[in-house]
Amino acid sequence: MATKADVLDFIRVYADKMAEHRQELTDLDQAIGDGDHGINMSRGFKAVLEKLPAVESKGIDEILKTVGMTLVSTVGGASGPLYGTAFMKAGMSTKGKEALSDEDVIQAFEEAVGGIQFRGKAVEGEKTILDSLIPAIDAIKAAIQEGKTMAEALAEAEKAAWDGVEYTKTIIATKGRASYLGERSIGHQDPGATSMAYAFQAINEVAQKGR
Amino acid sequence: MVGIVVVSHSQKIAEGAVELAMQMAADAKIAAAGGMADGGIGTDVAKIQAGIEAVQSGDGVVVLVDLGSAVMSSEMAIEMLDDGSKVKIVDTPIVEGTIFGAVEASIGSSLEEVMEVLANAKSYKKF
């Protein structure tokens, strides 16, 4: 079960992580992209933190939607529409819910993935956000199916996300600006997959705290 | 008249393309939606949406994009409109396309005609 407080907690923890890892994400992006991922994500989530107090009293769906809308207008790079769509889709799937059951959480994640795939027209294995996001969600679903708790599932999701980040070092980028580099992108870790793994790190930290 | 919105990561590129086009077609309905709200590099869905709303008159709008998030941000801006059915993103060189599009739109061409001119701009030979 995830409460509204958990959702707010996750957003704040993730925002802090984006500020904390700003330079690391930017360095990763400098190697294979336009070198602004950390700057963009931290700017976007700084704006999110400023907007959050105004919607804290609203429903989970409104909160997630506001995060998404804020990101699309403040991030500036491709991660704006991608993360923005993910939060907006997750928001739509939680409409009218005061708290989220395990099924609701999985549903929200599925909607977020669908949103990113629709927006970015990418699939797994193209060195993108999806390469840490999809394995993480698959891990959640598998763990829940095995009868584990959501907290256990989220711990496994974080691990799967970081494994996905490692995997991005071995593949060629075919989407986004890194695709201009072709084979030279091999060996480099994808910044988008990395920022997504931090999202699962944030979710996991919130889940373990409430255990 | 068909409206034109120029979306670039750079506010200066968008404004520059518009400035050039206005020299050729001073009465064109054309908006620059480049950069972020603070003028920094990036694309901003709200800024693009405002640009579309500023130039739409019912005859349709073409959106010219540079690359990457310019495409995704423009798609989102169109989805957020009440009726985005006559707003089209076109794959065309941003500077040449802005000029050709502005000229074509200003002589009263339809959305389809403007889009065709822009599609052909990709193969336009400079010399």
Side-chain angles (χ1 to χ4, degrees):
Chain A
M1 182 72 83
T3 62
K4 186 167 91 176
D6 293 333
V7 173
L8 286 167
D9 216 9
F10 154 62
I11 294 164
R12 289 199 188 92
V13 172
Y14 189 32
D16 288 346
K17 287 190 187 295
M18 289 300 96
E20 187 189 335
H21 297 285
R22 181 176 186 265
Q23 193 58 46
E24 178 201 344
L25 293 171
T26 290
D27 291 345
L28 289 171
D29 197 25
Q30 231 136 33
I32 55 169
D34 48 4
D36 60 6
H37 190 52
I39 297 164
N40 287 349
M41 290 295 281
S42 61
R43 176 175 53 210
F45 275 93
K46 184 170 174 276
V48 165
L49 287 183
E50 285 160 9
K51 285 262 177 76
L52 220 46
V55 292
E56 268 178 356
S57 59
K58 304 215 167 126
I60 292 174
D61 57 332
E62 276 296 316
I63 292 168
L64 292 173
K65 230 174 76 187
T66 301
V67 172
M69 288 298 291
T70 305
L71 292 178
V72 300
S73 281
T74 56
V75 169
S79 41
L82 293 169
Y83 277 92
T85 303
F87 276 97
M88 284 157 77
K89 291 280 181 191
M92 279 177 226
S93 85
T94 58
K95 200 167 171 56
K97 298 213 162 81
E98 288 295 317
L100 308 178
S101 68
D102 291 354
E103 291 73 31
D104 293 337
V105 171
I106 290 170
Q107 179 67 28
F109 276 126
E110 298 264 28
E111 289 290 328
V113 175
I116 289 178
Q117 284 176 320
F118 166 78
R119 185 66 58 206
K121 298 171 186 75
V123 293
E124 234 180 317
E126 292 186 310
K127 209 179 180 94
T128 71
I129 295 175
L130 294 173
D131 291 315
S132 59
L133 175 58
I134 292 177
I137 293 167
D138 286 346
I140 294 174
K141 286 194 284 192
I144 294 294
Q145 218 154 42
E146 288 164 22
K148 292 180 180 160
T149 65
M150 186 49 94
E152 289 168 330
L154 290 171
E156 289 181 16
E158 188 194 339
K159 193 187 165 298
W162 289 115
D163 289 347
V165 169
E166 282 301 309
Y167 164 67
T168 63
K169 291 181 187 170
T170 68
I171 53 177
I172 297 180
T174 53
K175 282 281 182 301
R177 269 195 228 190
S179 65
Y180 304 156
L181 293 175
E183 285 193 1
R184 278 177 295 155
S185 66
I186 294 182
H188 294 286
Q189 172 179 334
D190 183 62
T194 309
S195 59
M196 181 55 80
Y198 281 122
F200 283 93
Q201 189 179 74
I203 293 169
N204 188 26
E205 280 175 19
V206 171
Q208 304 315 321
K209 217 165 46 180
R211 221 171 172 177
Chain B
M1 188 188 300
V2 174
I4 298 168
V5 178
V6 184
V7 180
S8 169
H9 281 64
S10 157
Q11 186 173 321
K12 286 181 186 165
I13 287 179
E15 286 172 356
V18 170
E19 191 183 2
L20 266 178
M22 293 299 262
Q23 211 183 21
M24 301 278 296
D27 52 352
K29 284 182 173 300
I30 177 163
M36 305 294 293
D38 64 1
I41 294 282
T43 60
D44 174 348
V45 173
K47 206 167 180 175
I48 299 167
Q49 204 178 344
I52 295 169
E53 280 161 0
V55 300
Q56 68 182 0
S57 60
D59 295 332
V61 175
V62 286
V63 180
L64 282 68
V65 291
D66 56 4
L67 73 172
S69 70
V71 181
M72 284 189 272
S73 294
S74 298
E75 285 171 355
M76 287 200 88
I78 293 169
E79 285 164 26
M80 285 174 191
L81 296 169
D82 291 334
D83 178 14
S85 63
K86 290 183 85 176
V87 183
K88 307 287 183 192
I89 302 172
V90 286
D91 183 2
T92 189
I94 197 149
V95 175
E96 294 84 344
T98 304
I99 296 168
F100 297 167
V103 170
E104 192 65 28
S106 68
I107 59 171
S109 298
S110 68
L111 177 61
E112 289 69 27
E113 286 164 336
V114 173
M115 284 174 68
E116 198 189 326
V117 165
L118 293 181
N120 292 333
K122 227 175 177 176
S123 55
Y124 172 74
K125 292 265 184 274
K126 291 178 195 181
F127 57 85

